[in-house]
Amino acid sequence: MLTPELSIITNVSLEHREYLGHSLPAIAFEKAGIIKRRRPVVTGVRQASAFAVVEQTARKKSAPVYRLGSQFRVRRQSGSRFTYHGMDHVWPDMVIGLQGDYQTQNAALVLAACELLLTRAPLISPKASAKGS
C-alpha cells in the first residue's frame, strides 16, 4: 500500500452529486476519504459546511490543513497570468494554459503542494513548478 506525502482536495460542487452525495457536506465527506494520518491536506474547499467536514476529518487523523485563501492565495492578473502567494514563497508571473477561475485556483493548490514538498524533496524548483514538470 502506498501512502502519499499529502492530499489535495479541490473545491466541492453539486456537479459531483451523481457519484459522491446529494449535499455539499456529503460530497466533502467522500472527498475527505483521501486524507491520511499525519499527512498534510491542501484544499480549495470554500463552503463553510463542506470545509467543516474536511477539517473534522483532518483533525481526527492529525493531518495539518492548508487552505486556499488562508495559508496561501492566488491573484489573477491579465489573461492567463497569476501570482501565487504561499506559506514561504511568492511565485509571480505564473502562466496557466487552461481557462476559468477554478483552473487558477487548482493551480494554486498544486503550487501549495509543491511548496510543502520542497521540505521533503528539495529537487522541486520554482522553475520546474512554473513549467509544470
Side-chain angles (χ1 to χ4, degrees):
M1 179 178 173
L2 294 174
T3 302
E5 290 296 318
L6 55 80
S7 300
I8 299 175
I9 300 175
T10 59
N11 193 31
V12 175
S13 70
L14 290 176
E15 71 184 36
H16 300 106
R17 68 182 148 201
E18 181 179 340
Y19 303 103
L20 299 178
H22 294 289
S23 68
L24 294 176
I27 294 167
F29 178 81
E30 292 299 325
K31 284 189 164 197
I34 68 168
I35 297 172
K36 304 298 183 228
R37 183 161 302 285
R38 293 187 195 93
R39 301 295 181 164
V41 180
V42 175
T43 185
V45 174
R46 290 188 304 251
Q47 306 87 345
S49 63
F51 180 70
V53 172
V54 171
E55 190 174 43
Q56 180 181 21
T57 303
R59 192 176 322 112
K60 286 179 183 177
K61 296 184 178 187
S62 301
V65 177
Y66 298 86
R67 186 179 186 191
L68 178 62
S70 294
Q71 288 76 23
F72 62 98
R73 65 187 197 285
V74 63
R75 295 286 182 237
R76 283 194 73 147
Q77 298 163 349
S78 62
S80 59
R81 297 190 179 284
F82 66 95
T83 296
Y84 168 79
H85 299 269
M87 284 80 60
D88 297 315
H89 297 85
V90 174
W91 293 330
D93 207 31
M94 303 294 283
V95 179
I96 188 162
L98 302 170
Q99 298 297 314
D101 286 341
Y102 71 96
Q103 296 293 357
T104 303
Q105 294 164 5
N106 288 345
L109 299 179
V110 172
L111 291 171
C114 289
E115 189 173 10
L116 290 169
L117 290 173
L118 281 171
T119 61
R120 294 184 171 104
L123 296 178
I124 301 173
S125 70
K127 186 176 180 180
S129 296
K131 287 180 62 179
S133 52

